Amino acid sequence: MMKNSGKKRSGGLFLAKVLISIACVSCLAGVVLGEDIYAQFAPVPAFGPAPLNVTFVDQSEGNATFYRWDLDGNGTWDSDASDNPNPSHTYTTPGTYGVCMTVWNGTLVTSNSTGEVRVTEPVEGELSAYFAASPRSGYPPLNVSFIDQSVGAQGWNWTFDINTTTSDFERNNKNPVHTYTDPGWYTVILNVSDNYSSDQGRTREFPQEKFIHVLPVRPPQPDFVATPQSGTTNLTVTFTDQTPRTSEFFGNLSPAQWIYNYNWDFGDDSENYGANEPSAVHTYTAKGLYNVSVNVTGPGGSNIATKTGYIAVDTPPVPIADFTVSPSNGTAPLTVNFIGLAEGTGHLTYLWDFGDNSTPISGRNPVHVYTQPGSYNVALNVSDGTRIGSVIRNNSVFVREPAPLSAMFTATPRNGTAPLQVSFIDQSYSETPLTYNWSFGDGSLINHDKNPVHIYAEEGVYDVMLQVKGGNTSNVINQSNFITVQKPALHKADFTAVPVEGPVPLIVSFVDQSSGTGPFTYKWDFGDDSGQVTDKNPSHTYETPGVYTVNETVNSSAGSILVTKERLVNATTAIEARPVYANFSAVSTRGVAPFNVQFMDLSSGPVAAWKWTFGDGSSVTEQGPNHTYVNPGVYDVTLDVFNKSGVSNTTYSPRFITALSPTVSTKITLVYADLSNRKKIQFFDNSEGVGINSWSWDFGDGSDISRDQNPCHEFANSGTFPIKLSISNGYASDSNTFYIKIK
């Protein structure tokens, strides 16, 4: 039994709900428990011509959570409207349709409601066909979205290509998507219809000629480069593809599908490299000028790129034998290092004849010992396996007899009071290492140092003997009465003075340093006619510029000692009036970067401050700085000097320092020297590297070597010539061969 009570309502309304519930077949089994709910809905609109789209608006009372609908009155629930409080339904056939709604709140409380929808015959209205599309042009495969913009249409029939058929799903879709795979112009036709009459609706057609343009995919435009493009036989060349890859060559394929097929022809009748390889490596084994081509195939077709005379291969030149020796002269036995400087291709082997009837030996940098005096011719043969280059250098090595060993020495001081310390200095001559035996004449042990220091403790006159030994020979020198040692005096007189130079008025402090048994008395003469002073440690002011000799006389019971120091004090003019003059030099001005340079200040005058500017962005204020040029380059150096009053002087040395490049690289360019004479070529050296000062041009036509940096050369004949340029900056060198075709 249906429970529809729980709230007070008018009897008429309650009766209407019961009657409606009984009229709905699917709503008869309602059971109401717990809280009351009341099913109500309104169809919007409730009537109209077919096709009629109706939205059912839930107006139930209570806490309904579940819904079931029978929208077409066929006695079964519509699954697509389940649990939807506000479903929609389109009625396409005229008639009257009973609608049933059942709701419940999840606790077995249910309520039912029914209603009615009336659909009349369709009313004739406007029907027109129209559409748009995006995109309308592009590369295949081209996906085009068609957008229906018709009025009153209920059915659609599309023709995307009048020459092909289309599936029903795509053809009858309102807003279809169609894929064009072939290039061309396409006419698109849209037929639309409505259902005005029950037997046959009206139709409209909208054709668009040449509406879609599928662009043709272009065939590839092949291109490639090769490295190197010239060289000698057995030349291995790497070919690298540079064919453009864009959508005009691959259409709308993804970049991952942008793939070409390749077929290479290297021009030397070798088997082609094959397909699908964008890069190729090929070795040319014979001399010649070769045409290279590649056939590239893509979605748009294929094309061939040919480069005529692209690879130039020449036979290797005969090796050029060259070498240096170090040392080139000396006494026997003389050990000489030979350094091979041969030029050629491939693996080079060396065979040396040292000119002293010894067995020829191989190796690039051998060492040979000449045991007998003489002048020797050295010959070198260099082979690359097929060709031999030779050179003979007359009088390459000169070996002389060893000079006789001669012992000699000097000493300082040679006289004085005991204890007397004497430094002995070896001045012996020998071309071999020496050992030494010194006898100092005072009974002391033999000394074996080269430059010994000896202390004579007692007075006397001493002979000194030196024996030197070198190899199997020796020599002795004996110097009689060479060292004189006197008894020590009862006292010793000496003094110091500070400062000893400066501008007037110059105040000098004198400090007595006498020793011995006193007491002492003193007399000072400062050399400027100022009179004698008897203080032990006097100070004196020099008022007049000049150079002064100072005497100190020290008296004791043992006697009197005069100490004279000539030209000791230099009193100069006032410093403010004296100019300064900047000047400098360096131990070395040319070297390999990083290049460390020791600068020497040669300035004159009362210089009190220095400023060095090294030309590489750095500067210092030392007197004799040590500076490192990190980068190769040619640098200007400036020195500014100042006196204490700020008076300054500057010297500037442009391009003073050359920091050489550790490596140099050969590069050239060339132009016609005379457009009316295509055999006359102006060559320009564009080599890279700092300090290049040596050039050697070999034009490959048998003419003389040119040492100019930028020579002009006229070829006598036509042909392909190897142009070899060798360069050096005194530390690094490089050479390269370039080929030129003269017509």
Side-chain angles (χ1 to χ4, degrees):
M1 178 177 179
M2 182 70 66
K3 181 180 180 181
N4 283 321
S5 63
K7 291 185 180 180
K8 289 186 176 181
R9 290 191 173 253
S10 63
L13 177 59
F14 177 78
L15 180 61
K17 287 184 174 288
V18 173
L19 293 175
I20 292 173
S21 178
I22 295 174
C24 178
V25 175
S26 299
C27 298
L28 295 178
V31 178
V32 179
L33 296 174
E35 181 184 356
D36 290 345
I37 58 174
Y38 301 93
Q40 296 184 76
F41 68 89
V44 179
F47 64 92
L52 181 65
N53 183 270
V54 180
T55 298
F56 297 90
V57 180
D58 176 37
Q59 296 179 338
S60 301
E61 298 180 10
N63 188 22
T65 57
F66 298 97
Y67 298 82
R68 290 291 184 269
W69 295 87
D70 178 7
L71 300 175
D72 53 5
N74 63 359
T76 61
W77 300 121
D78 295 327
S79 61
D80 58 348
S82 295
D83 296 328
N84 188 344
N86 302 303
S88 295
H89 185 71
T90 300
Y91 297 89
T92 58
T93 304
T96 299
Y97 298 89
V99 179
C100 180
M101 170 192 187
T102 297
V103 299
W104 68 94
N105 63 2
T107 57
L108 299 181
V109 178
T110 63
S111 180
N112 303 318
S113 180
T114 60
E116 183 179 88
V117 173
R118 185 165 59 86
V119 182
T120 63
E121 288 290 332
V123 177
E124 182 176 4
E126 181 183 357
L127 177 64
S128 62
Y130 194 74
F131 64 88
S134 179
R136 290 183 55 190
S137 66
Y139 294 103
L142 182 63
N143 294 321
V144 181
S145 296
F146 291 91
I147 304 167
D148 174 53
Q149 296 179 339
S150 304
V151 176
Q154 299 296 319
W156 297 266
N157 191 333
W158 295 84
T159 301
F160 304 109
D161 179 2
I162 59 177
N163 297 317
T164 59
T165 58
T166 310
S167 67
D168 290 343
F169 174 79
E170 187 177 20
R171 184 175 65 250
N172 299 133
N173 197 331
K174 178 179 180 180
N175 298 308
V177 176
H178 183 71
T179 300
Y180 292 90
T181 58
D182 297 320
W185 287 93
Y186 293 89
T187 297
V188 179
I189 304 173
L190 171 61
N191 282 284
V192 298
S193 62
D194 62 8
N195 56 353
Y196 171 66
S197 62
S198 59
D199 55 347
Q200 183 176 0
R202 295 172 296 171
T203 62
R204 297 289 187 270
E205 182 177 276
F206 180 65
Q208 292 272 49
E209 294 187 0
K210 293 187 175 181
F211 188 65
I212 302 299
H213 185 198
V214 182
L215 303 175
V217 178
R218 295 181 57 190
Q221 295 179 337
D223 192 15
F224 60 90
V225 294
T227 304
Q229 296 180 25
S230 62
T232 57
T233 52
N234 294 319
L235 177 68
T236 298
V237 181
T238 298
F239 296 91
T240 303
D241 173 57
Q242 292 190 331
T243 304
R245 286 173 167 78
T246 61
S247 58
E248 64 179 311
F249 302 105
F250 291 94
N252 286 331
L253 295 175
S254 67
Q257 298 173 299
W258 290 4
I259 299 174
Y260 287 127
N261 290 337
Y262 300 84
N263 198 317
W264 294 88
D265 186 345
F266 303 114
D268 59 351
D269 297 327
S270 61
E271 183 178 352
N272 290 349
Y273 191 80
N276 300 326
E277 295 294 339
S279 297
V281 178
H282 184 68
T283 299
Y284 291 89
T285 59
K287 176 180 179 179
L289 199 61
Y290 297 97
N291 305 331
V292 180
S293 64
V294 62
N295 189 339
V296 182
T297 302
S302 63
N303 256 336
I304 297 177
T306 300
K307 295 189 178 183
T308 304
Y310 191 51
I311 304 298
V313 182
D314 200 359
T315 54
V318 175
I320 300 174
D322 193 10
F323 65 90
T324 62
V325 299
S326 179
S328 60
N329 64 81
T331 58
L334 180 64
T335 300
V336 180
N337 296 296
F338 292 86
I339 302 173
L341 301 175
E343 298 179 6
T345 59
H347 176 68
L348 301 179
T349 59
Y350 294 75
L351 186 64
W352 300 83
D353 185 344
F354 301 116
D356 59 351
N357 296 321
S358 59
T359 302
I361 66 172
S362 59
R364 181 174 182 177
N365 301 316
V367 177
H368 184 67
V369 178
Y370 290 90
T371 60
Q372 300 299 322
S375 181
Y376 297 96
N377 304 329
V378 178
L380 171 63
N381 289 338
V382 180
S383 173
D384 63 2
T386 58
R387 287 166 292 275
I388 297 177
S390 302
V391 63
I392 298 177
R393 298 272 175 80
N394 295 328
N395 305 316
S396 291
V397 178
F398 179 72
V399 184
R400 63 182 183 276
E401 289 281 0
L405 186 151
S406 176
M408 185 64 65
F409 66 89
T410 186
T412 183
R414 290 182 56 190
N415 59 77
T417 59
L420 179 64
Q421 179 175 294
V422 181
S423 296
F424 292 90
I425 303 170
D426 172 53
Q427 294 180 331
S428 304
Y429 174 79
S430 175
E431 294 184 348
T432 59
L434 293 176
T435 59
Y436 300 87
N437 295 314
W438 294 86
S439 176
F440 301 118
D442 61 351
S444 59
L445 297 175
I446 298 297
N447 188 295
H448 302 292
D449 295 338
K450 175 178 173 66
N451 298 309
V453 176
H454 184 69
I455 297 176
Y456 290 90
E458 304 293 338
E459 67 171 318
V461 178
Y462 298 97
D463 301 336
V464 179
M465 184 272 293
L466 170 62
Q467 180 189 43
V468 293
K469 294 182 178 181
N472 297 322
T473 62
S474 66
N475 188 246
V476 176
I477 182 173
N478 193 346
Q479 299 271 40
S480 299
N481 302 322
F482 192 65
I483 302 296
T484 300
V485 182
Q486 303 166 346
K487 284 185 178 181
L490 294 178
H491 67 267
K492 180 179 180 180
D494 197 7
F495 68 91
T496 61
V498 290
V500 295
E501 182 176 7
V504 295
L506 177 63
I507 301 174
V508 181
S509 297
F510 296 92
V511 179
D512 174 64
Q513 293 184 332
S514 301
S515 62
T517 302
F520 299 108
T521 60
Y522 308 91
K523 290 183 180 180
W524 295 86
D525 183 350
F526 301 116
D528 60 350
D529 298 327
S530 59
Q532 292 185 340
V533 175
T534 59
D535 295 341
K536 179 179 180 180
N537 299 312
S539 292
H540 182 70
T541 301
Y542 290 89
E543 302 288 351
T544 305
V547 179
Y548 299 94
T549 297
V550 179
N551 295 311
E552 180 193 21
T553 302
V554 182
N555 300 295
S556 71
S557 59
S560 177
I561 298 177
L562 172 64
V563 180
T564 299
K565 295 191 178 183
E566 296 184 355
R567 303 177 66 82
L568 176 64
V569 177
N570 181 17
T572 63
T573 58
I575 191 167
E576 291 80 3
R578 295 183 60 199
V580 290
Y581 301 95
N583 191 16
F584 67 88
S585 183
V587 174
S588 179
T589 61
R590 184 180 176 92
V592 181
F595 179 31
N596 184 269
V597 181
Q598 177 63 58
F599 289 92
M600 298 177 292
D601 173 43
L602 302 178
S603 304
S604 58
V607 178
W610 300 260
K611 181 181 179 182
W612 297 81
T613 304
F614 298 118
D616 61 352
S618 59
S619 62
V620 298
T621 56
E622 303 170 19
Q623 180 178 4
N626 186 292
H627 182 68
T628 298
Y629 289 88
V630 177
N631 300 314
V634 179
Y635 300 94
D636 306 335
V637 179
T638 302
L639 172 60
D640 298 291
V641 294
F642 310 84
N643 68 10
K644 290 183 178 180
S645 300
V647 178
S648 65
N649 185 248
T650 300
T651 183
Y652 167 69
S653 293
R655 304 180 67 82
F656 185 68
I657 298 296
T658 301
L660 303 175
S661 300
T663 61
V664 293
S665 178
T666 308
K667 288 182 171 45
I668 69 170
T669 59
L670 50 90
V671 297
Y672 289 114
D674 184 353
L675 293 177
S676 63
N677 181 4
R678 296 303 179 98
K679 290 184 172 62
K680 190 174 183 180
I681 306 298
Q682 174 67 58
F683 293 89
F684 294 97
D685 167 50
N686 291 331
S687 300
E688 297 176 352
V690 174
I692 298 173
N693 57 8
S694 174
W695 299 269
S696 174
W697 294 81
D698 184 346
F699 300 108
D701 59 354
S703 60
D704 293 339
I705 299 295
S706 173
R707 305 293 180 182
D708 295 339
Q709 182 180 3
N710 302 308
C712 183
H713 183 70
E714 184 172 357
F715 293 87
N717 301 308
S718 300
T720 299
F721 298 94
I723 310 301
K724 182 179 181 181
L725 171 60
S726 300
I727 60 173
S728 173
N729 66 0
Y731 174 81
S733 61
D734 187 39
S735 64
N736 206 345
T737 300
F738 310 86
Y739 288 83
I740 182 174
K741 187 174 183 180
I742 301 298
K743 297 183 179 180

